[in-house]
């Protein structure tokens, strides 16, 4: 299946090159070493290695590659590494994009992360729940404080939906799994006063896994929360 996916991506890439003047590089570092002129388009197959999930399209502005985005960014496009602290990178992405997608797993967080209003956080590799042998979480929370790992804040007022894969107003959290360590007190603190959608979220190892407070206009799908002393 992975081979077929790579063949489809290469076929799509060939069509893009044929239709546009696009410079293609294996990774971000290779692109930076090439002297590209303003206005040119560039494409990377991955951030560190081809097909690592970090491939992206860029426009050259003032001699620097600028990520082309429609409001969505993949965390791997920002150069994160597994088993590394991604707290600041993730928070910056949530602050600057409407939708943040996480394709990989095994990332660590040492500081709480806030999901702003009008923002979606979507993880794509959520495995089946209730599998005690599964330790491949998207995020491992090492804070060990009373602060929740993820907090959401959604304001008052009338909301509007654009019929897309996520609401333009409110918050969406989908497919996010977290593993609390160092006696972490809380996984998710959700305070949603606008249309908010939560589905396929799981918190393990927290005294309080998921706390929903002062909320209305909230739709909850599949959730899992249970405490294990780690």
């Amino acid at each position: 299946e992975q081979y077929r996916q790579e063949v489809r991506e290469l076929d799509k890439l060939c069509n893009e090159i044929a239709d546009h003047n696009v410079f293609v590089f294996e990774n971000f570092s290779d692109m930076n070493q090439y002297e590209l002129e303003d206005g040119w388009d560039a494409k990377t197959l991955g951030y560190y290695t081809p097909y690592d999930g970090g491939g992206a399209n860029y426009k050259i502005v003032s001699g620097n590659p600028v990520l082309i985005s429609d409001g969505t960014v993949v965390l791997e496009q920002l150069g994160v590494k597994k088993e590394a602290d991604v707290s600041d990178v993730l928070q910056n992405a949530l602050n600057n994009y409407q939708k943040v997608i996480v394709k990989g797993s095994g990332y660590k967080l040492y500081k709480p992360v806030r999901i702003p209003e009008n923002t979606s956080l979507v993880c794509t590799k959520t495995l089946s729940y209730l599998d005690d042998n599964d330790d491949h979480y998207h995020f491992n929370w090492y804070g060990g404080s009373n602060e929740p790992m993820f907090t959401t804040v959604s304001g008052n007022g009338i909301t509007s939906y654009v019929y897309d894969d996520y609401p333009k107003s409110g918050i969406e959290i989908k497919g996010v799994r977290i593993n609390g360590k160092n006696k972490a007190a809380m996984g998710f603190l959700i305070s949603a006063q606008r249309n908010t959608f939560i589905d396929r979220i799981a918190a393990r190892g927290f005294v309080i896994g998921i706390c929903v407070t002062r909320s209305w206009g909230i739709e909850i799908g599949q959730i899992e929360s249970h405490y294990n002393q780690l």
Side-chain angles (χ1 to χ4, degrees):
E1 178 60 32
Q2 181 179 356
Y3 172 77
R4 288 195 294 268
Q5 178 64 27
E6 291 183 0
V7 169
R8 288 193 293 267
E9 291 181 1
L10 285 173
D11 183 62
K12 179 181 178 181
L13 178 60
C14 290
N15 291 331
E16 290 180 355
I17 295 173
D19 294 338
H20 307 283
N21 187 21
V22 179
F23 291 82
V24 181
F25 302 90
E26 286 194 353
N27 54 54
F28 188 83
S29 177
D30 286 353
M31 176 179 63
N32 271 338
Q33 294 177 19
Y34 196 88
E35 294 185 3
L36 298 173
E37 296 185 9
D38 284 359
W40 286 4
D41 293 315
K43 182 182 183 70
T44 58
L45 300 181
Y47 195 90
Y48 295 106
T49 59
Y51 312 112
D52 61 5
N57 295 307
Y58 298 86
K59 175 72 73 173
I60 306 305
V61 179
S62 299
N64 299 310
V66 176
L67 181 68
I68 298 175
S69 171
D70 59 356
T72 298
V73 69
V74 177
L75 191 65
E76 286 74 14
Q77 291 175 334
L78 305 178
V80 295
K81 294 183 178 181
K82 290 186 177 181
E83 299 302 320
D85 179 18
V86 299
S87 304
D88 292 335
V89 176
L90 178 60
Q91 185 65 76
N92 186 65
L94 290 167
N95 290 343
N96 289 284
Y97 294 91
Q98 291 178 316
K99 187 173 186 178
V100 178
I101 298 174
V102 182
K103 291 185 176 181
S105 60
Y107 300 118
K108 294 180 180 179
L109 287 160
Y110 286 88
K111 292 187 292 187
V113 173
R114 176 180 176 271
I115 303 176
E117 185 180 353
N118 305 325
T119 302
S120 300
L121 174 62
V122 178
C123 294
T124 62
K125 286 189 175 179
T126 301
L127 305 178
S128 60
Y129 290 147
L130 303 176
D131 182 357
D132 293 334
N133 295 320
D134 172 29
D135 59 356
H136 299 289
Y137 290 81
H138 286 284
F139 299 103
N140 291 309
W141 169 227
Y142 284 86
S145 71
N146 291 324
E147 294 184 87
M149 174 180 159
F150 280 105
T151 60
T152 70
V153 177
S154 183
N156 295 305
I158 296 177
T159 63
S160 62
Y161 274 88
V162 174
Y163 288 97
D164 197 347
D165 58 340
Y166 68 100
K168 298 297 183 182
S169 298
I171 297 166
E172 180 184 30
I173 311 173
K174 183 185 296 181
V176 181
R177 288 160 47 104
I178 54 177
N179 183 28
K181 297 189 175 183
N182 299 336
K183 299 180 180 180
M186 187 179 296
F188 292 91
L189 175 60
I190 299 165
S191 178
Q193 299 173 14
R194 284 193 173 189
N195 294 317
T196 297
F197 181 65
I198 301 167
D199 188 26
R200 296 185 294 112
I201 66 173
R204 295 182 178 181
F206 295 89
V207 176
I208 300 174
I210 302 168
C211 178
V212 180
T213 178
R214 294 183 301 169
S215 298
W216 59 87
I218 183 170
E219 181 180 350
I220 299 178
Q222 185 179 13
I223 64 174
E224 173 194 333
S225 174
H226 56 96
Y227 178 69
N228 292 318
Q229 185 67 45
L230 298 178

